[in-house]
Amino acid sequence: MRIRPVRFEELSVLQDIERAAGRWFRDIGMPEIADDEPLTVDELALYQRAGHAWGTADGTGRLVAYLITDLVDGNMHIEQVSVRPDSARRGVGRALIEHIADHAAAEAIPALTLTTFVHVPWNAPYYARCGFRCLTEAELTPGLREIRNRETEHGLGRWPRVAMRLGVGR
């Protein structure tokens, strides 16, 4: 597997990966998440043009996973990471996270952040195994508070969510 920047012509593939990965939520009683549409190609293009979209390609060059980020309060915020179900549980997601952590450290960015579901096994428990820690309400930066508010407005507040952080500074 090779991690590389996502090309513009692959943005619709990111949507396909997101839809496929989202299906797992149906199995745990979260059909609203499974049915939630991914970001539009135009929205994904903003990440791609900014150099904030990475993908993992298999031996044939087909993307099987992707990760997009934003800079939020001086940290690299993982907006989305998704892996095709047929490539899951092979370290692909962890490799993407490690790649972006190395990238952030090289850019003197102190940490990775993300927001995620508390009780979904491939969300907060998984990120904790990757070294992320849960932030308390008092530790939330203004940007993370804004993200959490937008998530609540989008309906994600129906299930417990948490912001997490992984220090990557040297």
Side-chain angles (χ1 to χ4, degrees):
M1 300 266 176
R2 185 171 82 86
I3 297 173
R4 60 170 172 74
V6 171
R7 296 186 293 264
F8 180 80
E9 61 273 11
E10 296 173 314
L11 296 178
S12 65
V13 175
L14 303 188
Q15 293 176 308
D16 295 339
I17 293 169
E18 181 66 20
R19 285 184 190 104
R23 291 185 192 124
W24 284 355
F25 285 95
R26 188 173 312 289
D27 297 339
I28 62 166
M30 297 171 73
E32 298 89 342
I33 303 304
D35 296 337
D36 195 33
E37 275 299 304
L39 295 176
T40 67
V41 168
D42 288 342
E43 290 167 322
L44 290 168
L46 297 174
Y47 292 96
Q48 188 268 335
R49 282 193 300 268
H52 290 250
W54 292 268
T56 302
D58 66 12
T60 69
R62 175 184 82 128
L63 288 183
V64 298
Y66 78 95
L67 181 148
I68 56 175
T69 64
D70 280 319
L71 287 175
V72 176
D73 299 325
N75 295 309
M76 184 72 67
H77 183 77
I78 298 173
E79 178 61 33
Q80 184 66 44
V81 59
S82 292
V83 178
R84 282 189 191 280
D86 60 359
S87 294
R89 297 187 177 103
R90 296 182 185 163
V92 176
R94 185 180 293 256
L96 273 168
I97 292 167
E98 289 171 356
H99 178 81
I100 194 61
D102 290 345
H103 177 76
E107 297 290 322
I109 295 171
L112 301 182
T113 60
L114 55 82
T115 59
T116 193
F117 294 109
V118 172
H119 301 298
V120 174
W122 60 89
N123 279 202
Y126 170 77
Y127 295 119
R129 290 191 303 276
C130 291
F132 285 81
R133 70 174 182 82
C134 294
L135 297 175
T136 65
E137 286 296 315
E139 292 175 300
L140 293 180
T141 63
L144 288 175
R145 285 185 194 287
E146 182 180 326
I147 289 167
R148 294 282 308 273
N149 288 339
R150 281 195 316 262
E151 291 172 346
T152 299
E153 289 170 8
H154 189 69
L156 299 180
R158 180 172 167 203
W159 303 276
R161 288 186 63 80
V162 67
M164 301 181 81
R165 183 182 193 278
L166 172 68
V168 298
R170 295 185 175 182

